[in-house]
Amino acid sequence: MNNTYPGNLFVVAAPSGTGKSSLVNALLELDARVKPSISHTTRDPRGQEINGREYFFINEASFERMVAQSQFVEWAKVHGHHYGTSKQMIEERIAQGSDVILEIDYQGAMQIKKIFANAVLIFILPPSWEELRGRLLRRGEDKPEVIELRLRNAQEEMAHAASFDFVIINEVFEKALFDLKAIVHAQRLSFQAQRTSRPEVFKNLNL
Ligand code: 5GP
């Protein structure tokens, strides 16, 4: 796969209940230049989720077939289910010149960084352990035993935050969204990004 591309690749990881999806969705609404990557998963749809919008919901056999055919740029087992980012999804987005944002777990983030060295890894932390548990309970989407599994996994997931480029603490939603927008904006100000988006300025200045 060609790993030089005009857009930026943002990877957001966080334990579930941290507000990651709400933050990413708010960014997507505000910024039309950022597009989501829709993953494939073997877990069942939750709540209002729609196939092809939040995820492509597929069975184990189909997932295994896609793995065997090297259709994933990364994949991992999370909370007992398989999740993967398809190459086709990323390639389509990159071809459109969009910035792409991936909401994946830390294992996937590490795989992406190996392939796309310029990927920007962002970790979202809850303000406290008590708040994380409270949010998972209030969400009311999962059975108690699933919540306990998610909390156990959260500890392991958060231990990997140190390998990420940026950390956002989601205490107050608006502040966390401001931080996310700031990271995206700063990335667009890198020398390479500016030269791509404003070639006339660089040409004029003989740069
Ligand atoms: P959920 O089931 O709550 O939607 O997601 C569970 C976890 O799987 C989250 O941490 C989410 O970011 C992660 N995840 C979702 N899609 C992918 C993917 O394509 N690859 C990887 N590695 N993790 C994913």
Side-chain angles (χ1 to χ4, degrees):
M1 190 184 304
N2 177 11
N3 53 8
T4 55
Y5 53 93
N8 294 301
L9 192 54
F10 299 101
V11 181
V12 182
S16 53
T18 316
K20 174 177 62 165
S21 298
S22 307
L23 276 173
V24 170
N25 289 340
L27 176 74
L28 292 171
E29 268 183 30
L30 287 168
D31 190 335
R33 287 159 65 193
V34 183
K35 301 281 183 216
S37 159
I38 300 159
S39 298
H40 287 69
T41 182
T42 58
R43 82 151 163 77
D44 291 333
R46 276 199 304 254
Q48 306 296 310
E49 289 179 337
I50 292 173
N51 187 43
R53 189 178 68 184
E54 282 79 11
Y55 287 105
F56 294 105
F57 296 98
I58 59 174
N59 60 26
E60 280 292 340
S62 305
F63 196 94
E64 277 162 28
R65 199 173 323 115
M66 287 182 72
V67 171
Q69 293 171 350
S70 302
Q71 289 190 40
F72 291 120
V73 59
E74 67 75 32
W75 64 270
K77 196 167 188 181
V78 191
H79 310 317
H81 298 287
H82 284 113
Y83 295 82
T85 307
S86 79
K87 285 182 183 169
Q88 190 193 346
M89 177 61 67
I90 298 234
E91 278 168 353
E92 265 175 32
R93 299 298 199 219
I94 291 170
Q96 292 163 357
S98 307
D99 287 345
V100 184
I101 194 157
L102 274 63
E103 264 186 84
I104 59 178
D105 87 316
Y106 73 90
Q107 306 169 77
M110 298 295 128
Q111 292 180 61
I112 291 286
K113 190 78 176 185
K114 276 193 202 143
I115 300 165
F116 299 100
N118 294 336
V120 179
L121 306 194
I122 305 164
F123 203 96
I124 301 176
L125 288 175
S128 70
W129 200 241
E130 294 72 27
E131 180 62 24
L132 180 62
R133 180 185 289 272
R135 285 183 194 170
L136 283 174
L137 287 168
R138 283 195 296 276
R139 193 163 82 173
E141 281 179 344
D142 296 305
K143 297 187 192 116
E145 61 268 27
V146 175
I147 291 183
E148 287 314 309
L149 174 67
R150 285 180 187 275
L151 284 171
R152 278 200 302 279
N153 290 345
Q155 185 76 74
E156 201 202 323
E157 176 118 24
M158 288 193 285
H160 296 272
S163 311
F164 282 59
D165 300 307
F166 294 100
V167 170
I168 295 174
I169 299 171
N170 188 9
E171 191 161 21
V172 176
F173 183 83
E174 291 306 327
K175 163 83 168 56
L177 180 58
F178 178 85
D179 292 345
L180 182 58
K181 285 193 293 188
I183 295 166
V184 170
H185 187 67
Q187 217 51 36
R188 291 178 179 153
L189 301 180
S190 72
F191 186 90
Q192 285 302 341
Q194 288 280 46
R195 191 163 58 180
T196 305
S197 73
R198 301 294 302 277
E200 73 290 354
V201 173
F202 285 74
K203 198 165 170 231
N204 176 277
L205 299 172
N206 297 322
L207 289 172

